[in-house]
Amino acid sequence: MPHIKKASRNMTPTKNNRTYGLFHTICKIAFLGCGTNFWFEDMDCPAKLIKIYNAIDPVLELIVILFIMSHFGAFWTQPNLTEKQSTDRMLLTCVNGLSYSVYVNILYYKREMRELVRELVAFAVRLKEVCNDGNIEKMMHRTAFRYMIALFLVVSSAVISYGFQSGIPALTTNATFTVMIPIWPDVEDRRIIAAAARIVHYIVWLIFMVRVLVLYMLIITSTITIAHQFKHLCKYFEDLNDIFEGSGSQEEKERKYENAFKVGVKMHSITLWCTRQIQLTGGMAFSGQVIINVCTLGLLMLQTMSTERTLAAMMPIIFMAMAILIGTGLFLWNAGDVTIEATLLPAAIFHSGWHNCTRQSSVRVRKLVTISIAQAQKPVLIKGLGFIELSYESYVAIVKSSYSLFSVIY
């Protein structure tokens, strides 16, 4: 076992740590995407670029707000729509409105999110000093990378497919480029200024989705990291048994074991704090995604019933359904992983080697182990809407409820 140092909530991260690099990259992407700095140190960006972003971001934010308001205003200004256009209006208003609510909520907890990022990075640095398991860290990075790529591909595919669905008829026929229904112009307005307004509206949608997507990436990566923190903790406690197989007197081994065990208890406390923090900062994201999943899949199934069965017509529906299913899955699967990994910790603590202690050391350690196991046995849950325990089972139940809602409505 390496030399054990006292764990602290004020640990200083190092730039050589891979987790440091992962979160630094994601926070930089988040800054470039939505103009908000979630990093706890200097962003390491050119000062001129930061100044430009700080000046542009309020303007973009105002444009996005007007974009969202335009969706709701269309219910009053656009009464003469086809059945598909009406369903599209309801669908995109629901998705964009709820997504913007999630976006605003995460920005509201910007300070708490920054504290969480700092703690996750610092925990990885400290844990690597006392339990250097590179395989778990590599697994975490591979998982985060795969999930981020999947999220980006399905969301971008959905947005681009909507553009193609409206763009191709607009280029080949006399149809208008109507990706979504704004408050203005009218869907049948064929003036040049109306066409330009629709293109601007679509570009603003792309900007809005980038702003939401980068914050989703930050929440999902944080959840993945917390799940792997519990996995690391299990490995750490299991490795404590190796202390008694090393050289030295029994008294030295017992003292070293007690100190190491206390470090593990402290790291467990920090991990529980991180879990509570992700519930606070990302709670609206978890809840919003559940609502988006139920409402959007119901509307997509309803839209499928009235849509022509052609590739061009079905492609946006398929990609939107994939984006919703995978997006919801990424939130719920990772939240479920946190719960699963946390349930393995009591067994790891029990097999940490406490039975090798003798005399007074045995008395002290048994009390400490009993309290630690009791604490670790408390369920670690991340909830959506305040009562839905997010897991693989709840994901299946939520997807089924979308079909149930569609059956009732249709």
Side-chain angles (χ1 to χ4, degrees):
M1 285 289 293
H3 179 63
I4 301 298
K5 300 178 182 178
K6 184 178 179 181
S8 170
R9 283 281 303 278
N10 296 317
M11 296 177 288
T12 302
T14 172
K15 294 183 180 182
N16 296 325
N17 184 266
R18 293 184 63 185
T19 303
Y20 180 102
L22 172 65
F23 275 99
H24 182 260
T25 301
I26 292 178
C27 287
K28 184 178 287 188
I29 293 173
F31 175 73
L32 296 176
C34 67
T36 303
N37 184 10
F38 293 97
W39 192 238
F40 51 87
E41 294 179 345
D42 292 337
M43 183 53 69
D44 193 24
C45 288
K48 182 180 252 184
L49 179 63
I50 294 177
K51 187 176 180 180
I52 292 173
Y53 262 79
N54 289 336
I56 293 177
D57 184 64
V59 178
L60 292 177
E61 195 66 52
L62 178 60
I63 293 174
V64 167
I65 293 173
L66 294 175
F67 166 80
I68 298 298
M69 293 175 62
S70 175
H71 282 245
F72 291 95
F75 284 91
W76 284 270
T77 63
Q78 304 275 14
N80 301 318
L81 301 177
T82 64
E83 185 177 354
K84 182 183 182 306
Q85 289 173 336
S86 180
T87 307
D88 278 341
R89 179 179 60 182
M90 179 67 71
L91 173 66
L92 295 177
T93 300
C94 173
V95 172
N96 293 332
L98 289 172
S99 298
Y100 188 71
S101 299
V102 172
Y103 168 82
V104 171
N105 184 78
I106 297 175
L107 293 185
Y108 178 78
Y109 288 108
K110 179 178 68 174
R111 180 183 300 177
E112 289 79 1
M113 192 70 220
R114 187 178 293 136
E115 291 177 0
L116 174 61
V117 170
R118 185 185 190 284
E119 201 58 55
L120 291 174
V121 174
F123 182 95
V125 173
R126 186 68 188 92
L127 188 61
K128 192 164 186 175
E129 294 177 359
V130 297
C131 181
N132 189 8
D133 192 325
N135 291 330
I136 295 178
E137 188 177 31
K138 289 179 182 178
M139 186 187 307
M140 183 196 77
H141 282 261
R142 284 199 300 267
T143 302
F145 180 76
R146 287 198 302 265
Y147 283 6
M148 294 309 101
I149 292 297
L151 183 63
F152 172 78
L153 288 178
V154 296
V155 171
S156 59
S157 297
V159 175
I160 292 173
S161 65
Y162 270 89
F164 271 109
Q165 183 192 35
S166 298
I168 293 176
L171 293 174
T172 57
T173 65
N174 194 34
T176 58
F177 179 68
T178 308
V179 178
M180 54 194 70
I181 312 299
I183 192 172
W184 180 86
D186 186 87
V187 291
E188 295 300 328
D189 190 341
R190 286 174 170 77
R191 292 178 297 170
I192 295 178
I193 188 173
R198 294 189 188 98
I199 294 174
V200 170
H201 200 78
Y202 181 66
I203 294 173
V204 173
W205 188 32
L206 294 176
I207 295 173
F208 167 67
M209 293 308 299
V210 168
R211 295 168 82 85
V212 173
L213 183 61
V214 294
L215 295 188
Y216 272 36
M217 290 172 59
L218 185 58
I219 292 292
I220 291 173
T221 303
S222 299
T223 311
I224 293 172
T225 305
I226 292 172
H228 283 78
Q229 280 187 1
F230 279 107
K231 190 185 292 289
H232 258 120
L233 277 175
C234 290
K235 182 67 165 57
Y236 173 80
F237 278 108
E238 290 169 356
D239 288 349
L240 292 184
N241 199 35
D242 296 341
I243 292 176
F244 295 97
E245 298 178 3
S247 58
S249 65
Q250 178 66 17
E251 183 179 353
E252 290 176 350
K253 293 177 182 178
E254 291 173 354
R255 184 170 61 252
K256 190 174 182 180
Y257 174 83
E258 286 187 56
N259 292 335
F261 193 92
K262 291 175 182 177
V263 170
V265 171
K266 180 63 177 179
M267 290 192 293
H268 181 216
S269 175
I270 294 173
T271 304
L272 292 177
W273 178 87
C274 291
T275 306
R276 293 191 296 269
Q277 199 77 347
I278 196 65
Q279 178 71 73
L280 174 66
T281 57
M284 183 64 183
F286 297 122
S287 301
Q289 197 62 34
V290 171
I291 298 174
I292 289 173
N293 187 95
V294 175
C295 297
T296 304
L297 289 185
L299 289 170
L300 286 173
M301 285 185 281
L302 187 63
Q303 190 178 64
T304 303
M305 302 298 294
S306 59
T307 299
E308 184 182 0
R309 300 298 194 277
T310 62
L311 179 61
M314 294 299 297
M315 188 170 61
I317 297 176
I318 294 172
F319 280 122
M320 179 62 79
M322 289 176 57
I324 296 300
L325 288 172
I326 294 178
T328 304
L330 293 181
F331 278 104
L332 272 64
W333 300 337
N334 289 303
D337 285 342
V338 172
T339 301
I340 292 172
E341 296 298 337
T343 60
L344 303 177
L345 189 57
I349 295 175
F350 182 79
H351 294 97
S352 62
W354 58 271
H355 55 279
N356 293 302
C357 297
T358 59
R359 296 183 295 276
Q360 290 301 314
S361 176
S362 177
V363 175
R364 293 192 302 271
V365 166
R366 277 183 293 172
K367 291 180 180 179
L368 187 59
V369 169
T370 301
I371 295 173
S372 300
I373 291 178
Q375 178 65 34
Q377 286 176 330
K378 295 179 180 179
V380 178
L381 303 172
I382 298 178
K383 296 183 178 181
L385 300 175
F387 65 93
I388 299 177
E389 299 177 3
L390 304 185
S391 63
Y392 293 88
E393 292 78 9
S394 62
Y395 173 72
V396 175
I398 290 169
V399 173
K400 287 182 178 179
S401 67
S402 303
Y403 179 76
S404 300
L405 178 63
F406 165 74
S407 301
V408 171
I409 296 175
Y410 193 76

